[in-house]
Amino acid sequence: MIHKTAKGISIPALGLGTFELTGPDGTAAIRSAIEHGYRHIDTAVRYGNEAEVGQAIREAGVPREELFVTTKVWFDRLAPEQVRESIDGSLERLQLGHVDLLLVHWPGTEVPLSETLAAFAEAREAGKTRSIGVSNFTVALLDEAIDACGAELVANQVEYHPYLAQEKLLASARKRDMLLTAYQPIARGEVFKDPVITRIGEAHGKSAAQVTLRWLMQQDNVLAIPRSSRIENMKANFDIFDFELSAEEMAAISGLDRQDRKSDFEWAPEWDKP
């Protein structure tokens, strides 16, 4: 497993997204992923499955120090006291003493960012999280968080796949010793229909999803958290460390960008222009 590091925090580069993995089936899927080698598990209060994630971790029997667990605070809970309540609730549902990364799930507009991030830093100092970060932040919001608020952010989790370039965010992350975590990395399965990615996969004996995840793994400062409920897909997504894409193949995949955003909501910030 490849690890990538920012601010002295080492994170498994390939993680498991757990959105919609709920109930007994969700617990079983997450436990199976851990048993098959996943060590980076991503959840959120909003997903409603922190209890399932915690149960899967306990049932898998992997030492806690080998796991990297991320959770998130929803954008309507960003006042300092709400942040404290959110992280305490997360730890109770997970039945963990701490998480490894705590993220602002989406930027809010009702609470000054400085107050939110001060509460996040307080949680880190209290040992409730090893590190802090953000999700769905633009370059301007990162500038505000870091330059204006002095936040020591480890990661920015955003939508990133071959059809949505994130060059400005990547440049900002690299400049600031941060990681960019790609969610929806296979574009909701759209890569399976792509002739360029399929052709590259055939050359390596790999699927389009495996090629896409490998493309992400070979980029500096990039992590990926594909989500799947089927263990065969989880295993296949993990089987990407035995081949390497050429510079030409990397460029061909990067050239597929068409600014096709899959996740956009009324509460989203004004996105960076390409």
Side-chain angles (χ1 to χ4, degrees):
M1 166 60 74
I2 297 172
H3 283 65
K4 298 190 181 183
T5 302
K7 304 291 194 305
I9 302 294
S10 178
I11 306 177
L14 184 69
L16 178 73
T18 66
F19 178 61
E20 295 183 331
L21 298 183
T22 58
D25 289 345
T27 299
I30 298 163
R31 182 184 66 244
S32 293
I34 297 171
E35 290 171 348
H36 284 88
Y38 284 83
R39 293 294 181 265
H40 175 183
I41 309 297
D42 180 272
T43 185
V45 174
R46 185 71 169 183
Y47 299 169
N49 67 354
E50 289 174 314
E52 287 92 329
V53 169
Q55 182 179 347
I57 288 172
R58 292 189 298 277
E59 291 179 356
V62 172
R64 173 66 181 92
E65 61 271 18
E66 294 184 14
L67 295 170
F68 192 95
V69 180
T70 298
T71 196
K72 312 178 191 75
V73 178
W74 194 240
F75 69 84
D76 66 352
R77 307 292 296 168
L78 296 180
E81 187 56 38
Q82 293 172 322
V83 170
R84 297 183 192 104
E85 292 173 355
S86 184
I87 181 62
D88 287 346
S90 291
L91 295 178
E92 182 177 352
R93 288 184 291 274
L94 288 161
Q95 293 189 35
L96 296 176
H98 71 279
V99 292
D100 298 283
L101 178 59
L102 182 68
L103 302 179
V104 178
H105 202 155
W106 285 86
T109 57
E110 302 300 318
V111 179
L113 187 56
S114 59
E115 294 182 13
T116 298
L117 293 174
F120 271 58
E122 176 188 288
R124 182 187 58 206
E125 295 308 309
K128 296 178 181 181
T129 180
R130 289 177 57 217
S131 60
I132 63 174
V134 294
S135 183
N136 300 298
F137 269 44
T138 61
V139 170
L141 285 166
L142 285 178
D143 289 346
E144 180 182 353
I146 297 170
D147 296 335
C149 304
E152 296 181 1
L153 304 179
V154 167
N156 183 17
Q157 185 180 124
V158 299
E159 181 181 346
Y160 182 33
H161 47 72
Y163 312 118
L164 181 64
Q166 293 286 15
E167 293 178 359
K168 291 181 179 179
L169 279 176
L170 264 174
S172 179
R174 289 165 179 159
K175 179 180 71 173
R176 297 182 179 282
D177 186 28
M178 288 178 63
L179 300 170
L180 187 151
T181 305
Y183 69 75
Q184 293 187 339
I186 60 172
R188 295 183 178 172
E190 196 167 323
V191 298
F192 288 104
K193 302 178 289 184
D194 193 288
V196 172
I197 298 175
T198 299
R199 184 177 67 249
I200 293 171
E202 290 171 350
H204 292 277
K206 296 291 182 178
S207 72
Q210 289 171 319
V211 166
T212 303
L213 293 173
R214 183 68 202 182
W215 171 75
L216 291 164
M217 292 296 98
Q218 287 184 213
Q219 297 179 50
D220 291 342
N221 296 70
V222 175
L223 313 174
I225 47 170
R227 174 262 179 208
S228 178
S229 60
R230 300 176 62 184
I231 190 58
E232 59 266 33
N233 291 339
M234 293 179 184
K235 291 170 67 176
N237 289 344
F238 205 71
D239 187 22
I240 61 171
F241 301 105
D242 59 350
F243 75 108
E244 186 169 340
L245 299 174
S246 69
E248 292 76 16
E249 290 168 332
M250 290 288 291
I253 298 170
S254 297
L256 298 172
D257 171 53
R258 52 177 182 258
Q259 289 299 293
D260 181 7
R261 190 177 295 277
K262 305 296 182 185
S263 293
D264 203 3
F265 305 98
E266 63 270 18
W267 59 76
E270 182 176 346
W271 300 114
D272 295 307
K273 305 298 182 185

